[in-house]
Amino acid sequence: MRIKQAEAERHVLAITVDNEAGILAKIAGLFTARGYNIDSLTVADISDNHEISRITIVTNGPPAVIDQIRAQLERLIPVHKVIDLTEEGPHVERELALVKVAGTGEKRVEALRLADIFRAKPVDTTTESFIFEITGAPEKIDSFVHLMRELGLVEVGRTGIVGMMRGAQGA
């Protein structure tokens, strides 16, 4: 008899927490201790008095594992709210990347042409290289980086994914 393995799904979790020392380590430790992987992690202060932060985590796992992650996160004392944006419905995801490309001649012209198509903005230029700023869905950034590899990709820095529910309601 074989037990059917549940298919892993990608989930974006928005976690509202007290902005206190060690909270990020607690949350990362929760994932590490249980063998869960974090694909992307971003943190930002979201209150005027700097008391509340929002952590956005992208992870993968079968539905039962995602439910377990949520339940364990909700039990942590400094956690106010955990929202699985993937489960809640339509949401927007964005990421920012800086992409350095070195090249001359036709490769340089082609890098600029592709940057224009992808709406990537040159934020630094020398006679031998560009640094482009690109924002959008992770798949858009992946595509841009893939194309730049053929034109002299030197370095990539990515912020990680941030997400928000669509519509007038807040998370």
Side-chain angles (χ1 to χ4, degrees):
M1 181 172 142
R2 285 196 168 160
I3 298 173
K4 185 178 178 185
Q5 292 285 326
E7 192 73 25
E9 300 173 345
R10 179 180 174 277
H11 286 260
V12 180
L13 305 175
I15 308 158
T16 307
V17 299
D18 287 338
N19 191 6
E20 62 182 46
I23 183 58
L24 185 58
K26 280 183 187 178
I27 290 173
L30 182 147
F31 278 77
T32 304
R34 289 157 183 83
Y36 306 147
N37 192 37
I38 295 175
D39 296 330
S40 174
L41 179 130
T42 59
V43 183
D45 177 1
I46 61 168
S47 62
D48 290 337
N49 59 7
H50 307 293
E51 291 181 0
I52 306 292
S53 288
R54 179 181 174 131
I55 300 172
T56 305
I57 295 177
V58 178
T59 190
N60 282 283
V65 170
I66 300 299
D67 290 343
Q68 184 180 24
I69 290 171
R70 278 190 70 177
Q72 291 170 347
L73 286 169
E74 287 169 346
R75 278 189 233 131
L76 292 175
I77 296 299
V79 172
H80 294 275
K81 192 180 338 180
V82 179
I83 296 176
D84 184 343
L85 297 176
T86 308
E87 291 289 322
E88 291 294 320
H91 64 281
V92 175
E93 294 178 25
R94 289 295 180 263
E95 185 175 12
L96 177 133
L98 294 177
V99 180
K100 184 184 286 187
V101 180
T104 58
E106 280 302 309
K107 287 191 175 187
R108 185 174 174 85
V109 172
E110 183 64 6
L112 275 173
R113 188 185 72 76
L114 287 171
D116 188 50
I117 291 169
F118 279 83
R119 296 184 183 161
K121 181 172 74 170
V123 293
D124 183 67
T125 304
T126 70
T127 57
E128 299 170 352
S129 69
F130 292 109
I131 297 177
F132 296 107
E133 175 187 298
I134 182 169
T135 58
E139 298 80 15
K140 173 185 174 183
I141 294 172
D142 291 342
S143 295
F144 183 72
V145 169
H146 176 74
L147 291 169
M148 289 297 135
R149 285 189 199 289
E150 300 172 22
L151 300 174
L153 180 71
V154 175
E155 187 176 1
V156 178
R158 295 176 80 151
T159 60
I161 295 166
V162 292
M164 195 172 284
M165 295 300 302
R166 295 187 69 170
Q169 296 294 87

